[in-house]
Amino acid sequence: NNVGFGIASTALDLPLTSFSELMAANLEAGLHLSQLAHPLMKANGKGSIVFNSSIAGSSTLGLKSSAYSMSKG
């Protein structure tokens, strides 16, 4: 699983709808994909899900990337 996008905006200027879209793609998508994969892996008796994140999860990329960093941490 390797999904994500960012919005160049400070947290104070970021519209709530944009924040929700960013969190849905960067955070919630992994949960939904894992839920969909679980029955297949269970039926197969094994499986792996690998999540790739971003360096932004542990170190911000700047003032206009705080929401992206939050979604990756």
Side-chain angles (χ1 to χ4, degrees):
N1 178 349
N2 189 15
V3 64
F5 74 94
I7 299 171
S9 176
T10 65
L12 295 174
D13 295 327
L14 184 66
L16 185 56
T17 54
S18 297
F19 178 79
S20 296
E21 291 170 0
L22 183 128
M23 292 307 248
N26 294 1
L27 187 62
E28 294 176 25
L31 170 65
H32 296 305
L33 290 171
S34 297
Q35 290 172 330
L36 291 170
H38 178 259
L40 300 171
M41 293 189 307
K42 186 174 182 181
N44 196 33
K46 61 182 176 180
S48 299
I49 300 173
V50 178
F51 286 88
N52 294 313
S53 189
S54 170
I55 190 67
S58 60
S59 176
T60 185
L61 300 175
L63 182 62
K64 292 191 173 186
S65 68
S66 57
Y68 176 78
S69 295
M70 184 186 322
S71 73
K72 293 298 183 175

